[in-house]
Amino acid sequence: MKEIWTTMASMLGVWAFCQSILHIVFPPEFRFASLKFLHRLFHWYSAYCYYDITEIDGVNTNELYNAVQLYLSSSASISGTRLSLTRGLNSSSITFGLSNNDCIADLYEGAAVEWEHTVTQRQSQTFSWPPLPEERRAFTLRVKKKDKQVILDSYLDFVMEKANEIRRKNQDRLLYTNSRGGSLDSRGHPWESVPFKHPSTFDTLAIDPVQKVEIMADLVDFANGESFYRRTGRAWKRGYLLYGPPGTGKSSMIAAMANFLGYDIYDLELTEVNTNSELRKLLMKTSSKSIIVIEDIDCSINLTNRNTAGGGGANSGGRRNNNDASSHGIEDDGNSITLSGLLNFTDGLWSCCGSEKIFLFTTNHIEKLDPALLRSGRMDMHIHMSYCSFPALKILLKNYLGFLEDELQKELLDELEGVVNEAEMTPADISELLIKKRRDKNSAVMELLEELKNRVGRKRRKCGERNGAEEQEKRALDGPKDGCDQLQETCNKKNDGGNGCDDDDKFNQRKERRGSAASAR
């Protein structure tokens, strides 16, 4: 044992002597240059190149780092073996991510890449503000040199877009309102927001299934149509008009669109806006991937049809005078929103601020709106929200009572189908009835059928009374005519007998009374 320790001491002494000789013969500068040369030589013959994406870029947060972290969460949850779980602010779901110093592979257009999440302790530094974190976090991207151009040109942009999509899905929708008019808050924003948690979806929306599929396909084409709009030179926006009687589900349709696309909603209250300039400022402060809603536009601002209003129903632009102010818009101390300002808001140059925006108007009376607002390019798709149809009724029975179509008797379905269209009952009225009786499902269906039949009966009675009144009016108009014709025949007979008609004045008076009665009708 003593010889072993003696041998080890001798070897350590030789190593220390050689190290001192190397330090004298090869100074630190020479050793550093040699290592740098070997490193370059290694990378010169290596088939890979490396890119570091640090968490902190100087003193600012690197947005690309956060985007990569979100992007990898979509694939790490499937193929990763060690994951970190996070849940951000205003987030409705848990996000998966790579753990420290773990790797994951990805494939993009045939190019294989590898991401590594490196975490190292930061060396002690001088004072800095804001203070830097103790750990230095970064993603290292390893790609083959032959794929370098593909990765730098499009892959990183793809990562950013995918991360934005994931962030939008994870975060709750926001509902914005301009309750302060055009005034700004302390951060310079004219909009106030609250979390939007409306549960309406296209699966629960009680409308005709064919119309539903058509709307969903149009929304998907719009959301995926960036290249199309860019190629055709059109602004990436689209307008929808929802019209129909109250209670037909227009607000639920808006919520379903927002949940389907993952867009925020800007509920624009025109009565809180004083001028066209304020309207433009509000538009400029809206974000992309959003739905700008103006509900009941025919009640918010006077936009009556100029063709039916004698050309004075709405202002086409400019300043109004006091005589026709009430027919041109909303006025506040001489300031107003004009039809021209609203048209520029939806289809003018300012409407192109941002991209991927939807303008959505609702109204109960489409005939009151000016045709300039309804044309394509402003309201591209008109969606009629009508009374409850039989397919929509089956959706309501499933939503509120849990009934599937095959769980109801065919005779009952036939009765419902025979009266629901003629009853003209809105989905809101049917929903309220089903909610009240939801504890007894069968009783709820029977009471709904009875209510539909009662409405049909009342409608038919009103129609019969109206037809009877019209028939009575027609007989009243035809009665004087028959009396005059009879008097004319009597006079003709007397003329044939040679006696003549001694009462021509009475005949003329009855004829005049008949004409007066017809004119009054």
Side-chain angles (χ1 to χ4, degrees), residues 83-96:
L83 308 173
S84 62
L85 307 180
T86 58
R87 183 169 182 174
L89 184 65
N90 292 331
S91 177
S92 58
S93 61
I94 296 176
T95 302
F96 298 87

Side-chain angles (χ1 to χ4, degrees), residues 49 78-79 84 111 127 141 144 147 172 174 188 236 242 249 265 302 312 318 330 333 358 366 376 383 413 463:
C49 53
I78 300 175
S79 59
S84 62
F127 176 79
L141 174 62
K144 292 184 178 180
D147 301 327
D172 291 334
L174 293 178
W236 194 8
L242 306 182
I265 297 179
N302 192 351
I330 301 173
D333 297 332
I358 290 178
I366 188 175
S376 298
I383 302 175
L413 288 175
C463 184

Side-chain angles (χ1 to χ4, degrees), residues 327-340:
S327 64
H328 286 169
I330 301 173
E331 183 171 337
D332 185 8
D333 297 332
N335 296 330
S336 65
I337 303 174
T338 62
L339 175 60
S340 175

Side-chain angles (χ1 to χ4, degrees), residues 285-466:
K285 291 296 183 178
T286 57
S287 62
S288 300
K289 299 181 183 296
S290 60
I291 301 177
I292 302 172
V293 179
I294 302 179
E295 291 195 90
D296 297 323
I297 187 173
D298 55 308
C299 301
S300 299
I301 181 174
N302 192 351
L303 299 175
T304 51
N305 191 332
R306 288 173 293 181
N307 296 333
T308 59
N315 193 7
S316 59
R319 188 179 299 276
R320 303 178 303 177
N321 54 43
N322 295 330
N323 295 330
D324 60 355
S326 61
S327 64
H328 286 169
I330 301 173
E331 183 171 337
D332 185 8
D333 297 332
N335 296 330
S336 65
I337 303 174
T338 62
L339 175 60
S340 175
L342 188 61
L343 296 182
N344 290 329
F345 178 82
T346 58
D347 193 34
L349 294 176
W350 292 100
S351 67
C352 303
C353 297
S355 61
E356 202 171 348
K357 292 182 179 180
I358 290 178
F359 293 89
L360 202 154
F361 293 172
T362 69
T363 180
N364 297 331
H365 305 283
I366 188 175
E367 68 279 356
K368 293 183 178 181
L369 300 183
D370 194 283
L373 187 64
L374 303 178
R375 72 164 178 82
S376 298
R378 288 168 182 149
M379 297 294 106
D380 302 288
M381 189 174 186
H382 296 185
I383 302 175
H384 182 213
M385 307 296 292
S386 60
Y387 293 104
C388 188
S389 61
F390 182 64
L393 177 60
K394 291 189 291 185
I395 296 176
L396 292 176
L397 293 176
K398 178 183 177 182
N399 292 342
Y400 293 97
L401 303 180
F403 274 126
L404 299 177
E405 185 175 358
D406 54 358
E407 295 179 353
L408 294 172
Q409 297 179 359
K410 186 177 184 303
E411 294 78 7
L412 181 59
L413 288 175
D414 293 339
E415 287 188 78
L416 290 172
E417 185 177 8
V419 296
V420 65
N421 291 328
E422 188 177 356
E424 293 187 348
M425 198 170 178
T426 64
D429 293 335
I430 295 179
S431 300
E432 184 61 27
L433 190 149
L434 296 179
I435 290 174
K436 290 180 180 179
K437 302 294 181 179
R438 66 183 182 276
R439 295 182 182 87
D440 189 351
K441 301 192 296 184
N442 295 320
S443 175
V445 176
M446 298 308 299
E447 185 169 341
L448 173 61
L449 178 59
E450 187 67 24
E451 177 64 22
L452 292 172
K453 289 182 178 180
N454 291 337
R455 293 206 176 200
V456 171
R458 290 195 297 267
K459 183 179 178 182
R460 289 177 178 176
R461 284 194 298 270
K462 288 182 180 179
C463 184
E465 293 174 358
R466 185 168 60 251

Side-chain angles (χ1 to χ4, degrees), residues 124-177:
S124 59
Q125 298 180 358
T126 58
F127 176 79
S128 63
W129 185 262
L132 297 176
E134 296 180 356
E135 295 180 336
R136 180 182 181 275
R137 299 175 179 270
F139 284 103
T140 300
L141 174 62
R142 190 187 75 165
V143 299
K144 292 184 178 180
K145 292 181 178 180
K146 64 177 183 178
D147 301 327
K148 175 180 177 181
Q149 201 63 33
V150 175
I151 299 302
L152 295 180
D153 287 346
S154 58
Y155 178 65
L156 295 179
D157 291 337
F158 169 77
V159 169
M160 292 289 291
E161 293 176 2
K162 190 69 176 180
N164 290 333
E165 180 181 347
I166 296 173
R167 186 182 296 110
R168 192 168 59 251
K169 288 182 179 180
N170 291 341
Q171 287 183 346
D172 291 334
R173 307 282 81 75
L174 293 178
L175 174 63
Y176 294 87
T177 181

